[in-house]
Amino acid sequence: MTSQHERIDFDVVFIGGGPASLAGAIRLMQQARQKHIDLQVALIEKGAEIGSHAISGAVLNPVALKELIPDFLEKGCPVEAVVRDDEFYFLARQKAYKLPLVPRYMHNNGFFIVSLSKFTRWLAGIAEDLGVNIFPGFAGQKVLYADDGKTIAGVRTGDKGLGKDGQPRANFEPGIDLMSKVTVFGEGAKGSLMGDVCSKLNLSEGKMPQVYETGIKEVIALAADNYFPARPANVIHMMGYPLGLNTPGGGFIYEMKDNKVALGFLVGLSYDDPALDVYDQFIAFKRHPFVADIIKNGRVIEQGARTVSTGGYYTIPGLAAGGGVFIGGCAAMHNTPGLKGIHLSMKSGMLAADAILNAVEKNDFSQDSLWAYQDLFETSWAKEEIYEGRNFAQALAKKAPAKLIHLGLQYLTRGRGLQDPMPLEEDFKTLRPFKTGEAGKTPLAGGKSGAAVDGVLYPDKLGGVYLSRTMHREDQPCHLVVHDADLCVTRCYETYRSPCTRFCPGSVYEIEIDEATSKRRLKLNPSNCLHCKTCEIKDPFRNITWTCPEGGEGPGYSVV
Ligand SMILES: Cc1cc2nc3c(=O)[nH]c(=O)nc-3n(C[C@H](O)[C@H](O)[C@H](O)COP(=O)(O)OP(=O)(O)OC[C@H]3O[C@@H](n4cnc5c(N)ncnc54)[C@H](O)[C@@H]3O)c2cc1C
């Protein structure tokens, strides 16, 4: 927008303040100190604070944390509870059946339950003490390349103070060019910058496409007479109702401090029903008698949503380019069968840090040099763990009974199953058109389960947006780029009845009737956006691109 970009030079810049980047930055500084190497390291985060965009279950497998900070408990790591035991239920419409066996990848005994928001803030304090320059409120907007057009040279942060029309307002501040020898992409699932780099440098060539689940999660304060810690198991996973066996997904309830629980529900975005409303299914799940009894008389104190990359090993892109490495959720570091990615994201950041320090010592930041990270990953426990789930998302996307057969055989053969690798279809391709006669019945917003909301324990979509504390300045260019608004009310409406009004958990997309012309038109509410990125993933016409709004906006999570 302007050529007046201030330039600041660093050795290493981390993009994103999630567990991957924070663990990577800590490891880098620890190792540099040991070797008496002076490094200038920066970390930018688009949220107003570290932790304000962090959302997760979250059961933390402490394996990477123990390697990084062995005395983490003495150092005040904010733990909500230690996992006593796991339970796994199949939910029929009215009943819950406890499975006699909890799958091995869901054994969480002795792990820690944390609020990812609090945990990342604690990690950020440690990183700062080691000398990392942390800049919350700055969104990486554009990747900067060297003259050869393929070596990553840094990142430009977003301009602040542009108006809706793209013109600078009185408080305009141009973005800053953060130049670095190595740029570390830790943007989490569906990273926007990472996506650009991947396609420009062909880093996903020969890999399977990434697939995702969208999770809605909340923290609920339970009533005093409903004491959750009295239960023998404090980690409960559920599948079945309301999605059934043909739509991937399920829910969880984890104990938190002071008689609170973290409750979440994920839907695999390979679903095919154009009428499915993700938020409505979440409420229906909470209304199931088994779940409703656990949370009865409680009050939701925070809610949010985020996607998670679940494609597994075969979707991991090349992990290094000249001047850049890719870590955490944006590089598919996730154990999908176990629904855990924090420890793997942390480990990938730590492995990248080791490769970066090696490159610093050689003063060689080429792709060949940084490829040491890929080699370290391939021989790590992280790879082994992710590898076991290499065909899991593929099996989940199948219908019953094939789904159950594939999952069972994969369980017995540690991931190989009947076909290895199994093909994977991108989520935007899986919606089926409305069937004849169905179209007129489906509401444009709000789902079909009819699950009731009450504004306290069962907030509606807008209530959930309020509980996420998300906010965006109104007078700025819309960060949700709809490439062809006409298509939304023609082909997309006719074929799928505008599914954006149902897959977005934040009521960002509405179809309304223009009073003057009596024609349908798309109405956007970008200030409701929860930064989950479901819209860019699930839109069947790839008509939506999610871009970072100016830094410091979006959700304001503090305990989820
Ligand atoms: C509902 C749900 C439940 C889950 N439960 C668990 C669980 O129980 N246990 C577990 O281990 N894992 C769980 N996960 C997965 C886990 O949350 C992720 O694996 C992990 O957070 C990934 O870490 P990350 O650092 O790569 O990315 P993130 O945690 O997503 O962090 C990325 C950060 O980068 C910032 N960012 C993004 N783009 C930019 C940019 N351009 N400029 C500046 N900043 C940027 C974001 O605001 C964010 O703060 C869950 C996920 C979901 C959605």
Side-chain angles (χ1 to χ4, degrees):
M1 197 42 60
T2 169
S3 56
Q4 305 298 307
H5 297 285
E6 186 189 348
R7 174 191 161 124
I8 311 180
D9 288 276
F10 289 98
D11 294 303
V12 183
V13 171
F14 286 82
I15 305 173
S21 287
L22 289 162
I26 291 171
R27 171 82 179 180
L28 185 62
M29 296 309 260
Q30 287 172 337
Q31 297 294 314
R33 268 196 183 182
Q34 258 185 25
K35 297 189 172 180
H36 305 288
I37 298 172
D38 184 30
L39 281 183
Q40 293 303 315
V41 176
L43 182 152
I44 57 168
E45 163 56 48
K46 67 178 161 62
E49 287 174 37
I50 297 292
S52 58
H53 289 187
I55 181 174
S56 185
V59 172
L60 171 69
N61 176 342
V63 54
L65 181 60
K66 281 182 182 163
E67 286 177 20
L68 185 69
I69 308 168
D71 55 347
F72 62 97
L73 289 175
E74 291 77 16
K75 286 208 158 77
C77 176
V79 170
E80 297 289 323
V82 177
V83 181
R84 291 190 294 276
D85 205 356
D86 301 275
E87 285 175 358
F88 199 169
Y89 288 86
F90 177 78
L91 302 184
R93 182 169 281 277
Q94 292 295 329
K95 283 206 150 76
Y97 298 95
K98 186 170 163 187
L99 301 192
L101 179 119
V102 175
R104 63 175 170 274
Y105 29 71
M106 288 197 144
H107 288 178
N108 297 304
N109 227 304
F111 291 176
F112 296 95
I113 301 169
V114 296
S115 141
L116 193 64
S117 183
K118 289 191 204 168
F119 180 65
T120 47
R121 268 181 277 148
W122 172 76
L123 284 176
I126 292 179
E128 268 183 325
D129 289 347
L130 286 165
V132 179
N133 299 283
I134 297 191
F135 302 113
F138 286 87
Q141 202 64 276
K142 183 178 177 201
V143 180
L144 303 171
Y145 292 91
D147 292 342
D148 65 4
K150 54 183 190 182
T151 303
I152 298 163
V155 62
R156 177 169 297 167
T157 65
D159 291 336
K160 293 185 180 188
L162 289 174
K164 253 188 176 34
D165 53 4
Q167 295 305 310
R169 299 292 188 256
N171 56 349
F172 177 70
E173 288 171 30
I176 302 168
D177 287 353
L178 302 172
M179 310 306 292
S180 55
K181 293 169 183 151
V182 185
T183 305
V184 185
F185 295 79
E187 301 170 279
K190 194 72 187 163
S192 318
L193 300 180
M194 162 79 188
D196 289 350
V197 178
C198 256
S199 38
K200 186 176 165 87
L201 304 181
N202 288 332
L203 292 170
S204 289
E205 205 177 346
K207 308 284 178 178
M208 289 197 185
Q210 192 49 259
V211 294
Y212 301 86
E213 292 179 9
T214 292
I216 302 176
K217 188 204 156 184
E218 55 192 21
V219 175
I220 301 175
L222 296 183
D225 61 353
N226 189 19
Y227 194 56
F228 189 80
R231 297 182 69 94
N234 55 352
V235 164
I236 303 174
H237 287 104
M238 289 146 281
M239 57 172 286
Y241 184 84
L243 296 172
L245 282 179
N246 287 337
T247 304
F252 60 80
I253 302 181
Y254 304 153
E255 178 187 350
M256 293 184 81
K257 261 190 186 152
D258 304 326
N259 206 25
K260 294 197 280 291
V261 290
L263 178 147
F265 182 74
L266 293 111
V267 178
L269 294 181
S270 59
Y271 71 82
D272 63 357
D273 179 0
L276 186 142
D277 183 303
V278 174
Y279 193 89
D280 176 68
Q281 296 295 299
F282 169 65
I283 296 293
F285 162 74
K286 285 178 68 179
R287 285 279 183 192
H288 186 279
F290 176 73
V291 180
D293 184 56
I294 293 176
I295 59 175
K296 67 174 179 265
N297 301 326
R299 180 175 55 89
V300 178
I301 55 176
E302 199 158 284
Q303 195 191 89
R306 182 75 174 99
T307 44
V308 56
S309 38
T310 52
Y313 182 75
Y314 294 126
T315 67
I316 296 176
L319 293 176
V325 293
F326 313 100
I327 62 173
C330 72
M333 298 291 167
H334 193 256
N335 171 347
T336 303
L339 183 58
K340 277 189 282 301
I342 302 172
H343 63 296
L344 294 161
S345 295
M346 291 176 72
K347 181 66 178 176
S348 70
M350 291 154 66
L351 295 172
D354 291 351
I356 293 170
L357 202 68
N358 199 262
V360 169
E361 288 180 300
K362 293 189 294 182
N363 197 26
D364 177 357
F365 305 99
S366 63
Q367 185 174 32
D368 280 353
S369 170
L370 290 170
W371 203 254
Y373 162 42
Q374 180 90 39
D375 297 336
L376 287 170
F377 169 71
E378 292 295 342
T379 51
S380 69
W381 57 255
K383 182 249 162 146
E384 215 170 290
E385 187 178 326
I386 295 172
Y387 192 66
E388 186 171 341
R390 62 197 179 279
N391 291 309
F392 194 82
Q394 293 88 321
L396 274 191
K398 298 236 175 277
K399 306 268 185 218
K403 179 199 301 251
L404 300 174
I405 295 167
H406 280 292
L407 287 177
L409 288 171
Q410 285 177 17
Y411 190 74
L412 295 175
T413 57
R414 298 220 162 240
R416 184 167 40 79
L418 270 183
Q419 192 186 2
D420 183 18
M422 269 175 95
L424 197 54
E425 192 161 31
E426 279 174 278
D427 297 321
F428 80 95
K429 293 182 178 162
T430 58
L431 277 189
R432 62 164 172 77
F434 270 97
K435 291 178 187 150
T436 317
E438 186 183 40
K441 288 187 219 148
T442 299
L444 265 179
K448 50 186 183 176
S449 83
V453 293
D454 69 358
V456 180
L457 181 56
Y458 302 98
D460 64 7
K461 265 189 209 179
L462 285 180
V465 169
Y466 174 76
L467 287 163
S468 76
R469 294 186 209 88
T470 195
M471 63 98 205
H472 296 83
R473 203 168 56 80
E474 294 282 341
D475 184 26
Q476 66 174 300
C478 184
H479 72 278
L480 300 156
V481 182
V482 177
H483 302 283
D484 179 355
D486 196 43
L487 188 147
C488 303
V489 290
T490 52
R491 278 172 68 205
C492 191
Y493 180 84
E494 284 151 19
T495 319
Y496 304 106
R497 281 291 186 278
S498 307
C500 56
T501 58
R502 292 178 295 279
F503 56 59
C504 168
S507 273
V508 168
Y509 300 90
E510 288 179 56
I511 300 290
E512 60 178 15
I513 303 290
D514 183 331
E515 279 182 20
T517 62
S518 301
K519 287 193 170 153
R520 283 185 194 93
R521 69 171 175 211
L522 176 71
K523 181 181 171 221
L524 287 177
N525 306 303
S527 36
N528 288 357
C529 180
L530 301 168
H531 294 206
C532 73
K533 307 190 183 176
T534 307
C535 51
E536 182 169 332
I537 296 165
K538 192 61 184 166
D539 177 59
F541 292 97
R542 303 221 115 167
N543 194 23
I544 304 171
T545 303
W546 191 97
T547 65
C548 275
E550 62 178 37
E553 307 202 301
Y557 305 137
S558 61
V559 290
V560 288

